[in-house]
Amino acid sequence: QVQLVESGGGLVQAGGSLRLSCAASGSIFSFNGMGWYRQAPGKPRELVAVISSGGSANYADSVKGRFTISRDNAKKMVFLQMNSLKPEDTAVYYCTGRVDFLSRDYWGQGTQVTVSS
């Protein structure tokens, strides 16, 4: 069983920072692409950031310049550094990992991020 577990969410004031972590366990293979999605109440799930195994990253326009995604392939972890947080960043954040040869995406359970004004 492959599992992804997020951590680092919490309550923070607007303008503050949080660092989310996601750790993979239960597999002998590595993920190809990894990323972060988020979902706010009453809104659809949206892509926040993705990163390839080689370190190439892409971001949603709403977070570009404020968030940074990174990964540690040896530790099978992916991170999301969130700076200059805004109330509209409030959502449940989900970690994902892609295994290309299986055409399969794996998902974490989510971690709550709440930004107060």
Side-chain angles (χ1 to χ4, degrees), residues 51-105:
I51 185 168
S52 72
S53 61
S56 297
N58 200 7
Y59 301 89
D61 288 340
S62 60
V63 307
K64 195 171 297 182
R66 300 187 298 119
F67 291 10
T68 302
I69 188 171
S70 61
R71 65 188 290 172
D72 185 330
N73 291 332
K75 296 182 179 179
K76 297 181 180 179
M77 297 186 69
V78 64
F79 309 91
L80 186 68
Q81 179 66 46
M82 305 185 293
N83 299 326
S84 302
L85 283 163
K86 305 174 181 179
E88 50 262 47
D89 294 319
T90 295
V92 177
Y93 284 70
Y94 298 91
C95 171
T96 68
R98 174 73 173 184
V99 182
D100 285 343
F101 79 94
L102 293 176
S103 298
R104 172 73 185 270
D105 295 317

Side-chain angles (χ1 to χ4, degrees), residues 19-47:
R19 181 176 172 85
L20 304 184
S21 299
C22 174
S25 64
S27 71
I28 61 172
F29 54 83
S30 62
F31 294 107
N32 298 106
M34 299 190 76
W36 293 90
Y37 285 74
R38 67 185 182 187
Q39 186 168 29
K43 296 183 179 180
R45 184 184 64 186
E46 65 173 347
L47 175 68

